[in-house]
Amino acid sequence: MPPLYHYVRRQLRPRNHLAGLRRRNILVAVAFCFCLFYFLDSFKSPTESELLERHMNSGPPLHPFTLMKSSVDWGSIEYRHPPQKQLRHLPKPPKRSSLPSIQHRFKKEFSEARRTREERRKTVLQLTRKCWDSYRTYAWKQDALLPLSRRGTDQFSGWAATLVDSLDTLWLMGLRDEFDEAVAAVAEIDFGNSSSPLVNIFETNIRYLGGLMAAYELSKRDVLLHKAVELGDLIYGGFNTENRMPVDMINIDAAKEGSGLMVEPTVVSASPGTLTLELARLSQLTGDPKYFDAITPIIDLFYRGQNQTALPGLFPMYVSMLREDVTTGSTFTLGGGADSIYEYFPKLHALLGGGEPRLATLTRGFMHAAKRHLFFRPMIPDNDDMLISGNVNVDQAGVAHLDPETEHLACFIGGTFALAGRLLSSDEDVEVGARLTRGCVYAYRSFPTGMMPERLTMVPCLGKTKKPCAWDEQKWKTETEKQPDYKPHLPRGFTTAKDPRYILRPEAIESVFYMWRITGEAEWQDAAWDMFQAVAKGTATELGSAAVLDVTVANPKLPQDDYMESFWIAETLKYFYLVFSPPDLISLDEYVLNTEAHPFRLQR
Ligand SMILES: *[C@@H]1O[C@H](CO)[C@@H](O)[C@H](O)[C@H]1NC(C)=O
Ligand SMILES: *[C@@H]1O[C@H](CO)[C@@H](O)[C@H](O)[C@H]1NC(C)=O
């Protein structure tokens, strides 16, 4: 019966249609409500870092202070070797190409995971507070705490290195009273006088200037910027040389005269190479281009030389700023002496918003060469896929010889590869960063104390990264017995622990922090917790934490050194804390951290 059929269809069709519409409407409404909820939610509930900001900024300083100007006005010295008239200005970041985002897109966390993370975060906080309290009680305004002899010592000009270095850590941990008290002490520092006649420009720059600027950026306390400028002008005085290249050590009395300083014949490459980020940031913060102008010739020099060295892409460990020679030399490493020159190429690239394209070239160039020459797969019992950063000597004939020695300092490189990989959109380099970081985590886990020695050697796999690398027990034994100071007790895979100490260094947890923030993979948080527990236990003293003299032997009481470096609170504990904090606290999309873990805000 076609009519009925038609009728039914006509009756049904609109009804069906209506029902569909209604269902869709409901879905749309529900979706809308969800969106509205999240939209309002994102307005209503501030992130944890916003809450922290409010807490730290509420009310006047808990410790009022008076700014005391330094006894020398470093900004008004007449220089014998002034800069050229035309100062070079900060480059304008390219308009259209904003840099790629760095951090993993973290999802909402399950309450169980959150509880664990919060407990760990609090444990790190408690240890930091204990160390800070001891510094405050026994070494106040001195450079470092001697945790065993319960007093302080000065090694960095006596301007309270631990205090300045710790400022931003105190802020990030929400320790408002401690922070304000420290700021009041900073207001009284005299950068016109030094406890030693020579001021180390590198350490002064990364610890003090970096610390002051980062604390200013977080808290906006003007006194911190004022002190940063005083100190920045002292460092700037280090460029008062015939060729306008910086000295390594500033003779403070000669600097006051303004009559000119002598550049040393040779320095480690990290010394000039690690002034760039801080001085560029100081120009950004003050609007005064002179600091950036001062570092430009350093970038020019390293850029010109990069492909002219014995290992093109990499710089020899020793360079001459006097002769402006960064190419002669046959020893190459990413460890001590060189490390942060490489770290600062991608970081300065980020700070300048991509406005100086040569920094991307410098970054690509060194990463390419490091992968080819310095990194090796170690031969280890479980054949895990990881990389170690070694050293290379180039002989007279130009042949590169790998020395399979690495050091804790070189562990920063995993994080730098991951960061640079993101910045330059190279997933392969993020993966290389992960394998390098795994190498350091492996070293921590292998030793019976759970800590990595300061310097060690392993057996490199031949055939580099592609071929499988089978464990050869006999080969490892032979290599170990060959060593001049043969130690039969080392874990399998390690042939020496040339320097068996752990001196509270941050580089391994630094890379783990970068891997966590960049990949969001839980393995890194777990690795961080294992490392924290081992380090906290092994370095523990009644007052705080102390360097350990030998991490290769598990003793109930490890032999310790009477010293707590300022980077322990500034870097190591900060990185541990950040790994266990919500990832928006010092997001890598908002900040770049200097080599002392001091965050500088990116101008995006
Ligand atoms: C500089 O410091 C020394 C001790 O470190 C002190 O004796 C001297 O008076 C100080 N000079 C000035 C100008 O503050
Ligand atoms: C070095 O050489 C590479 C490969 O030819 C090139 O891409 C790069 O731009 C060069 N770097 C510098 C600093 O000249």
Side-chain angles (χ1 to χ4, degrees):
M1 302 236 308
L4 184 58
Y5 176 72
H6 268 229
Y7 172 79
V8 171
R9 275 187 56 167
R10 231 177 286 134
Q11 286 288 310
L12 284 177
R13 229 195 268 137
R15 246 199 246 140
N16 253 348
H17 187 60
L18 256 183
L21 256 183
R22 247 184 255 128
R23 222 176 298 135
R24 217 175 300 150
N25 278 349
I26 290 169
L27 278 180
V28 167
V30 167
F32 178 75
C33 285
F34 262 103
C35 287
L36 190 69
F37 174 75
Y38 274 101
F39 182 69
L40 291 177
D41 190 47
S42 66
F43 272 97
K44 268 203 221 114
S45 59
T47 65
E48 307 218 13
S49 65
E50 283 162 349
L51 284 175
L52 173 67
E53 199 86 342
R54 278 185 216 164
H55 157 69
M56 291 301 282
N57 271 322
S58 59
L62 301 175
H63 295 262
F65 57 84
T66 344
L67 170 65
M68 283 162 60
K69 292 202 165 133
S70 289
S71 57
V72 175
D73 180 2
W74 292 107
S76 65
I77 306 271
E78 290 269 337
Y79 294 124
R80 170 145 180 225
H81 307 291
Q84 58 193 39
K85 287 246 154 48
Q86 278 293 324
L87 294 189
R88 285 148 297 200
H89 286 250
L90 287 160
K92 287 225 174 357
K95 273 246 159 53
R96 276 155 43 77
S97 69
S98 73
L99 296 175
S101 63
I102 308 295
Q103 289 214 149
H104 173 72
R105 299 267 162 263
F106 286 91
K107 300 209 175 67
K108 274 210 163 151
E109 173 177 48
F110 292 114
S111 56
E112 179 69 28
R114 183 191 166 91
R115 252 198 309 278
T116 310
R117 181 181 61 66
E118 279 296 299
E119 266 165 36
R120 293 173 174 181
R121 187 178 65 79
K122 285 197 187 112
T123 311
V124 179
L125 171 61
Q126 276 160 11
L127 177 56
T128 311
R129 186 180 251 159
K130 171 182 165 189
C131 292
W132 175 258
D133 285 347
S134 297
Y135 168 76
R136 186 180 168 278
T137 308
Y138 298 101
W140 186 241
K141 292 193 183 184
Q142 288 186 273
D143 284 344
L145 170 70
L146 303 179
L148 302 182
S149 51
R150 296 170 178 263
R151 58 194 174 86
T153 185
D154 287 331
Q155 87 277 42
F156 296 120
S157 300
W159 298 323
T162 294
L163 188 149
V164 176
D165 228 1
S166 302
L167 288 168
D168 53 12
T169 302
L170 297 175
W171 178 274
L172 293 174
M173 294 190 178
L175 301 173
R176 169 72 191 277
D177 190 37
E178 288 84 347
F179 180 81
D180 282 352
E181 188 181 31
V183 170
V186 169
E188 298 177 356
I189 297 177
D190 181 10
F191 290 121
N193 198 6
S194 164
S195 63
S196 64
L198 294 177
V199 173
N200 183 316
I201 200 168
F202 168 88
E203 300 287 0
T204 302
N205 178 59
I206 65 169
R207 300 193 200 216
Y208 287 110
L209 181 57
L212 290 169
M213 287 194 297
Y216 166 71
E217 300 205 23
L218 293 172
S219 70
K220 294 287 178 288
R221 304 277 205 276
D222 289 335
V223 60
L224 295 169
L225 183 59
H226 186 97
K227 283 291 167 188
V229 171
E230 284 187 359
L231 186 63
D233 285 337
L234 163 58
I235 291 171
Y236 184 72
F239 290 76
N240 179 20
T241 63
E242 213 169 307
N243 64 357
R244 293 288 302 165
M245 287 295 178
V247 298
D248 189 41
M249 292 289 191
I250 300 176
N251 180 320
I252 195 153
D253 287 328
K256 285 177 197 170
E257 304 295 318
S259 53
L261 303 176
M262 290 289 291
V263 183
E264 299 82 354
T266 54
V267 290
V268 289
S269 58
S271 170
T274 315
L275 298 171
T276 54
L277 194 73
E278 289 77 7
L279 293 182
R281 187 62 187 143
L282 191 55
S283 275
Q284 289 180 338
L285 285 178
T286 58
D288 185 340
K290 71 176 185 181
Y291 311 104
F292 180 75
D293 173 73
I295 57 147
T296 308
I298 301 177
I299 299 169
D300 294 345
L301 179 63
F302 281 102
Y303 186 80
R304 280 200 307 275
Q306 185 172 34
N307 283 344
Q308 317 302 322
T309 69
L311 228 49
L314 297 167
F315 299 99
M317 189 165 153
Y318 291 96
V319 296
S320 175
M321 302 312 276
L322 179 66
R323 295 187 302 276
E324 299 183 28
D325 172 5
V326 298
T327 61
T328 315
S330 53
T331 309
F332 297 83
T333 180
L334 296 182
D339 46 18
S340 41
I341 185 176
Y342 299 109
E343 177 189 340
Y344 273 16
F345 294 145
K347 288 186 171 179
L348 189 57
H349 173 71
L351 186 77
L352 300 179
E356 170 51 278
R358 291 183 304 168
L359 292 164
T361 306
L362 282 160
T363 304
R364 284 198 193 92
F366 101 74
M367 296 210 303
H368 181 74
K371 282 186 278 190
R372 205 162 140 208
H373 298 289
L374 295 181
F375 300 161
F376 66 88
R377 257 188 89 174
M379 187 182 77
I380 46 175
D382 42 10
N383 301 327
D384 265 3
D385 182 22
M386 60 185 66
L387 289 173
I388 296 290
S389 183
N391 304 331
V392 162
N393 293 297
V394 179
D395 67 17
Q396 296 285 327
V399 180
H401 300 277
L402 175 70
D403 170 10
E405 174 182 311
T406 195
E407 53 183 330
H408 195 288
L409 274 168
C411 284
F412 82 97
I413 194 61
T416 294
F417 256 70
L419 176 68
R422 273 280 186 274
L423 282 168
L424 303 177
S425 305
S426 163
D427 290 344
E428 184 210 315
D429 288 318
V430 176
E431 183 50 34
V432 170
R435 294 169 71 203
L436 287 160
T437 307
R438 265 183 220 117
C440 292
V441 170
Y442 180 84
Y444 269 72
R445 285 191 172 138
S446 299
F447 286 86
T449 53
M451 287 179 277
M452 174 180 169
E454 178 76 354
R455 227 144 47 90
L456 56 84
T457 53
M458 300 180 85
V459 186
C461 293
L462 296 175
K464 287 266 160 152
T465 52
K466 292 280 181 277
K467 286 189 195 149
C469 182
W471 171 247
D472 179 343
E473 181 104 11
Q474 195 48 51
K475 183 171 177 192
W476 166 66
K477 276 204 176 123
T478 317
E479 290 287 329
T480 308
E481 283 160 14
K482 263 203 313 221
Q483 303 296 333
D485 54 347
Y486 168 55
K487 291 203 181 70
H489 71 276
L490 293 181
R492 290 151 94 220
F494 297 86
T495 50
T496 70
K498 281 189 182 169
D499 184 343
R501 295 173 305 155
Y502 170 69
I503 63 167
L504 305 173
R505 281 202 193 280
E507 293 78 17
I509 184 59
E510 172 182 346
S511 282
V512 169
F513 160 75
Y514 279 97
M515 291 318 307
W516 163 243
R517 289 294 186 85
I518 287 171
T519 69
E521 281 159 20
E523 73 166 294
W524 301 114
Q525 264 188 330
D526 295 338
W529 183 239
D530 290 349
M531 286 163 72
F532 178 78
Q533 286 174 294
V535 165
K537 180 166 171 248
T539 63
T541 73
E542 209 187 314
L543 295 193
S545 305
V548 173
L549 291 172
D550 188 351
V551 300
T552 67
V553 184
N555 282 326
K557 184 86 187 81
L558 296 178
Q560 288 175 327
D561 194 14
D562 187 16
Y563 200 63
M564 190 178 88
E565 270 279 5
S566 80
F567 53 62
W568 172 241
I569 296 179
E571 297 190 70
T572 314
L573 290 171
K574 182 192 285 150
Y575 283 126
F576 277 122
Y577 187 80
L578 289 176
V579 170
F580 302 123
S581 293
D584 75 314
L585 188 64
I586 308 297
S587 161
L588 295 174
D589 291 311
E590 287 169 41
Y591 291 92
V592 61
L593 288 93
N594 89 336
T595 191
E596 190 77 2
H598 296 307
F600 302 158
R601 203 180 284 272
L602 295 170
Q603 300 181 315
R604 291 201 162 188

